[in-house]
Amino acid sequence: MAVENSKVLIIVNNWGIEETELTRPLRDLKAAGAQVTLAATTLDPCETVQHDRYEGETLTPDALLSDVQAADYDLLVVPGGTCNVDRIRVNEDAITLAQEFAHEGKPIAAICHGAWLLVNAGLVAGKTASPCRYTAGGHYVDEQLHVDDANGFKLITSRKPADLDYFVDAIKDALN
């Protein structure tokens, strides 16, 4: 499979998404030819923030979390933003999607606080990751990018927006 033939799912809550952690992968992957779906908890506009404090760009979701299935996609992206992830990590549809991606052996990419969803989904244990420091059951490394193939699925993690070049490149590599 190549990036231009791939289907990528990005999942978010409708508020509090770190702007660049959503818009960079979304736009870069679309520009590379991937079919990208933005799924949210509701079909209301997705309001991003900059540094968890300042108003960011607003985007329209393509689908509801409850209406998408891992079987229809090649890779899952979970952007950060503490407010976004604090809500999505307890959303049963988001937890189920992440678990389905992992059980199907499909790559999951999470940046910064995005990995909190994976913790709640029980997918971090036995993995090495480089998101923000909360990796309950996993091993944290302070790296711009870490890719872990343990436990049957590829986990791509980065720490913060400054690491987006590495993060997006690793997503593209995982799709090739």
Side-chain angles (χ1 to χ4, degrees):
M1 160 186 41
V3 174
E4 57 271 5
N5 297 323
S6 63
K7 292 183 177 182
V8 176
L9 178 63
I10 300 177
I11 61 173
V12 297
N13 183 59
N14 290 79
W15 181 81
I17 311 118
E18 184 63 37
E19 182 180 61
T20 59
E21 293 176 7
L22 169 58
T23 59
R24 244 327 267 297
L26 178 92
R27 291 186 178 132
D28 286 9
L29 292 168
K30 281 185 175 183
Q35 180 182 335
V36 182
T37 300
L38 175 60
T41 52
T42 73
L43 290 177
D44 295 323
C46 295
E47 298 177 33
T48 68
V49 294
Q50 298 174 10
H51 311 292
D52 282 336
R53 296 174 45 188
Y54 307 106
E55 185 177 322
E57 187 175 343
T58 299
L59 298 148
T60 302
D62 302 307
L64 290 168
L65 282 174
S66 58
D67 291 342
V68 294
Q69 298 177 357
D72 297 330
Y73 297 92
D74 303 307
L75 185 140
L76 174 65
V77 177
V78 186
T82 55
C83 295
N84 167 54
V85 181
D86 209 30
R87 288 171 179 84
I88 202 169
R89 71 182 177 143
V90 295
N91 179 292
E92 289 302 319
D93 293 321
I95 290 169
T96 299
L97 274 168
Q99 291 170 336
E100 288 174 356
F101 269 86
H103 292 136
E104 292 179 21
K106 295 180 179 183
I108 299 174
I111 188 164
C112 199
H113 293 86
W116 288 0
L117 168 63
L118 307 179
V119 170
N120 281 50
L123 300 174
V124 177
K127 294 287 225 182
T128 298
S130 64
C132 65
R133 290 188 175 264
Y134 183 59
T135 58
H139 176 72
Y140 171 78
V141 290
D142 185 10
E143 299 173 353
Q144 294 168 322
L145 172 75
H146 192 83
V147 179
D148 186 317
D149 284 318
N151 302 337
F153 74 97
K154 182 177 290 200
L155 176 61
I156 301 163
T157 53
S158 286
R159 304 168 300 183
K160 56 190 173 186
D163 300 333
L164 276 162
D165 288 341
Y166 302 97
F167 184 69
V168 173
D169 285 347
I171 293 169
K172 290 177 184 177
D173 287 346
L175 293 169
N176 281 323

